[in-house]
Amino acid sequence: MTRHATQPIDGQKPGTSGLRKKTRVFMQPNYLENFVQSTVDAIGGLRGKTLVLGGDGRYFGREAASTILKMAAANGAARVIVGQGALLSTPAASNLIRQRQADGGIILSASHNPGGPDEDFGVKYNSANGGPAPESITSAIHKRTQEISEYHLLDAADPDLDSLGETPLGEMTVEVVDPVSAYADLMEMIFDFNALRDVFKSGFRMRMDSMCAITGPYAVEIFENRLGAPAGTVTHGTPLPDFGGMHPDPNPTWAHELMDEMMGEDAPDFGAASDGDGDRNMILGAGTYVSPSDSFAVLAANAHLVPGYKDGLKGVARSMPTSAAADRVAEALGLDCYETPTGWKFFGNLMDAGRVSLCGEESFGTGSDHVREKDGLWAVLMWLNILAARKMSVAEIMADHFARYGRNYYSRHDYEALPTEQAEAMLGDLRSRLGELKGTQVEGLTVESSDEFSYTDPVDGSVAEGQGFRILFEGGSRVVLRLSGTGTEGATLRVYLERYAPGPDGLDHDPQEALSPIIRATEALVGIRERTGREKPDVIT
Ligand code: G16
């Protein structure tokens, strides 16, 4: 018997990147099954199809993988390619879907959110192009969760997820593959590994913090085994179900061990960290923090130095809240530059249509059209390759970049776990006043325009509305406000602050100081402190 009766469960609405909930929510009877069957139904079934399956190793991942395999078999799938131990980084899963020409994939991860029985879990469907499902599919999945009445699951023992090779599960084939090798081979095709080996031979020191999450085995293979970096270059390199208690979010707050080392005496030349599922990255030099928006701009400006991009870029794209630093590079290079809503899924069409090669987001995500996800280790290798080619330190590269293009001072302030109604009321109130803000003078700034961002996809014409509030001030400063779509507790308000300094003077201020008039103006216009009672943001990046 493979048919099981069920009933719709409330709240199974995918967010910015798949469905993310507390792990115990996912562990409730039928919860995972309902969502997976709804996904299967929304994409027109699995009969005869090939899927890729894997995740970031977090608590409940193995059990979920076994259930999904039995459901895939009962739904008539031909083959599921699964990472050994149910492990696959998100970019490696994207690569496998493309390389093996699979019909899609399921990734088990809540990304940068902590893991464990009392923390977070997530499930995400990626399409045949290797990218996160577009809104048309995620909406169809949500609709299906509201009407589902049965799911299919094979009555069988849990499949062996550890032995490489093929085994039958009913009429389906389960193919267990090494999660690392195909991805590491792809990196070897894009980057100049000979030059990078020479860099490490010359005594260059690097620290890669994998935060007890999925990139550990990938980073050890690439940096230590293939490029000859000394053993121990990769720290926190073993993926653990609870990430060793770490919050695997590569930003200055959560990757504080790495920050302390890189800002301390005798810091290595280069430091980097990645997140739970390996698609985010943070870049550091000795004594230097590179903001994600600046990192993306530097990659765009220097990509031609990397073999995989030696013929130049097709174009670039960034999410709306990401700073305009990359726009200045695009302008100088004569490249098209697209502005999309938050969420990597919005880049897929642009990459598939050959309009852009590089994409970046302020949320520590950068990537290219080598896969259809953002890619943490790819970004680290881009930086390494650029450092090798330019023979400059990270600090020198940043100073040179700002001198050439000016500096977009940038910071994001997060207010986490606010009562949802309170956060929505605050933004609802802002929405009702948006039309009246023009000309308002506050903290020495004048509001030039304000709106709620909506995006029309230039490839398929689909429209995404309500994608964040923008208040632009005369002179090019701005603040953007939106609610996160990846949290699992209440509402998280994100406040994105930006000010442009053209140079040549004033390029080396502390960003919080440089942005202080905009921070004060935001408080005057929106009243975050007053309405939430919070004295300061929980996380500043
Ligand atoms: C996901 C998406 C990203 C997005 C980020 C932040 O990242 O893939 O494209 O920028 O969420 O989303 P929010 O501001 O809504 O929390 P990840 O790394 O969590 O998969």
Side-chain angles (χ1 to χ4, degrees):
M1 229 263 301
T2 63
R3 293 161 90 99
H4 297 259
T6 188
Q7 286 181 343
I9 301 175
D10 265 355
Q12 295 201 322
K13 186 173 195 285
T16 310
S17 191
L19 184 69
R20 292 188 190 163
K21 296 284 175 193
K22 289 288 168 205
T23 310
R24 289 198 198 281
V25 171
F26 262 105
M27 291 168 75
Q28 294 174 99
N30 294 354
Y31 196 93
L32 174 73
E33 291 83 349
N34 270 21
F35 187 71
V36 171
Q37 186 66 51
S38 299
T39 302
V40 168
D41 295 346
I43 59 168
L46 286 185
R47 189 142 304 280
K49 290 184 180 172
T50 295
L51 283 186
V52 166
L53 174 66
D56 61 10
R58 71 179 59 221
Y59 185 86
F60 189 55
R62 251 178 186 272
E63 293 84 342
S66 289
T67 300
I68 292 170
L69 284 168
K70 287 187 242 177
M71 290 184 68
N75 277 283
R79 175 180 292 264
V80 177
I81 302 162
V82 53
Q84 191 177 29
L87 297 178
L88 275 179
S89 77
T90 290
S94 182
N95 176 48
L96 270 184
I97 294 170
R98 295 168 66 76
Q99 203 184 54
R100 298 292 306 272
Q101 297 181 340
D103 297 286
I106 294 179
I107 300 175
L108 305 171
S109 168
S111 186
H112 54 289
N113 298 6
D118 296 314
E119 299 294 352
D120 294 352
F121 192 75
V123 177
K124 178 167 92 157
Y125 177 72
N126 279 32
S127 307
N129 73 347
E135 298 242 300
S136 54
I137 294 183
T138 55
S139 304
I141 295 172
H142 180 222
K143 184 159 176 283
R144 187 70 190 148
T145 65
Q146 295 167 312
E147 58 198 27
I148 188 167
S149 59
E150 63 176 25
Y151 62 82
H152 301 271
L153 185 137
L154 196 70
D155 183 15
D158 283 347
D160 175 2
L161 297 174
D162 297 310
S163 313
L164 294 178
E166 298 184 354
T167 44
L169 180 63
E171 291 180 12
M172 183 180 90
T173 301
V174 177
E175 180 184 345
V176 177
V177 298
D178 170 13
V180 175
S181 54
Y183 176 83
D185 293 348
L186 176 68
M187 294 300 110
E188 210 156 342
M189 282 160 58
I190 298 174
F191 299 101
D192 185 349
F193 269 38
N194 284 332
L196 299 188
R197 273 189 279 270
D198 288 345
V199 165
F200 284 114
K201 252 189 227 144
S202 74
F204 179 90
R205 287 162 61 222
M206 166 177 173
R207 171 73 66 223
M208 172 73 215
D209 190 342
S210 286
M211 303 191 82
C212 300
I214 191 65
T215 62
Y218 295 83
V220 168
E221 172 64 12
I222 292 170
F223 299 118
E224 297 184 9
N225 298 347
R226 297 200 188 188
L227 293 176
T233 295
V234 179
T235 51
H236 300 124
T238 304
L240 299 172
D242 65 349
F243 306 121
M246 292 181 92
H247 187 147
D249 195 355
N251 64 39
T253 301
W254 295 116
H256 47 84
E257 273 184 49
L258 177 69
M259 278 302 278
D260 289 348
E261 184 178 4
M262 296 305 299
M263 298 301 146
E265 276 176 31
D266 196 33
D269 302 291
F270 181 54
S274 53
D275 72 331
D277 61 332
D279 56 3
R280 296 185 176 209
N281 73 91
M282 176 171 74
I283 298 295
L284 301 159
T288 308
Y289 164 70
V290 183
S291 85
S293 295
D294 287 338
S295 173
F296 176 49
V298 168
L299 296 190
N302 294 281
H304 61 280
L305 301 172
V306 176
Y309 310 94
K310 66 177 185 334
D311 298 329
L313 303 175
K314 294 170 187 150
V316 298
R318 64 165 173 85
S319 66
M320 182 275 282
T322 303
S323 95
D327 302 28
R328 301 182 194 287
V329 175
E331 197 185 340
L333 297 178
L335 298 173
D336 285 338
C337 178
Y338 297 85
E339 188 179 34
T340 63
T342 294
W344 205 262
K345 59 191 169 198
F346 291 103
F347 295 135
N349 275 350
L350 297 172
M351 290 194 263
D352 286 351
R355 293 190 185 213
V356 302
S357 320
L358 248 56
C359 302
E361 291 189 287
E362 53 65 42
S363 54
F364 296 82
T366 21
S368 90
D369 55 1
H370 66 292
V371 288
R372 291 294 182 274
E373 287 276 6
K374 56 192 189 281
D375 188 344
L377 291 179
W378 168 89
V380 177
L381 285 162
M382 282 293 281
W383 265 94
L384 262 183
N385 209 149
I386 290 165
L387 291 171
R390 294 192 63 182
K391 302 193 185 346
M392 290 162 84
S393 69
V394 174
E396 286 165 347
I397 287 191
M398 292 318 298
D400 177 65
H401 189 89
F402 294 150
R404 191 170 303 195
Y405 298 100
R407 178 169 184 179
N408 288 71
Y409 283 103
Y410 190 82
S411 180
R412 188 177 97 187
H413 291 189
D414 291 340
Y415 297 83
E416 296 182 338
L418 295 172
T420 305
E421 277 177 19
Q422 184 188 66
E424 284 175 354
M426 186 167 63
L427 292 185
D429 184 36
L430 177 62
R431 179 181 288 119
S432 69
R433 290 183 294 118
L434 267 186
E436 305 155 16
L437 293 181
K438 188 173 160 87
T440 306
Q441 300 203 342
V442 57
E443 296 292 336
L445 296 163
T446 305
V447 177
E448 186 176 84
S449 65
S450 53
D451 66 2
E452 198 169 1
F453 182 59
S454 100
Y455 175 68
T456 303
D457 186 304
V459 180
D460 67 12
S462 58
V463 177
E465 285 178 335
Q467 299 294 324
F469 297 92
R470 300 191 282 197
I471 304 175
L472 300 162
F473 300 101
E474 285 176 6
S477 300
R478 71 169 189 171
V479 58
V480 172
L481 299 102
R482 62 178 279 279
L483 295 181
S484 158
T486 59
T488 58
E489 221 180 319
T492 292
L493 174 69
R494 303 208 192 284
V495 183
Y496 311 85
L497 304 142
E498 180 173 358
R499 178 167 87 82
Y500 180 60
D505 300 320
L507 295 175
D508 54 2
H509 293 301
D510 170 66
Q512 300 306 317
E513 265 169 42
L515 293 165
S516 60
I518 302 161
I519 295 171
R520 290 196 302 273
T522 304
E523 184 55 31
L525 292 170
V526 188
I528 301 170
R529 205 181 316 141
E530 188 192 316
R531 296 187 68 143
T532 65
R534 300 280 178 91
E535 277 309 306
K536 55 180 179 48
D538 298 288
V539 177
I540 295 181
T541 53

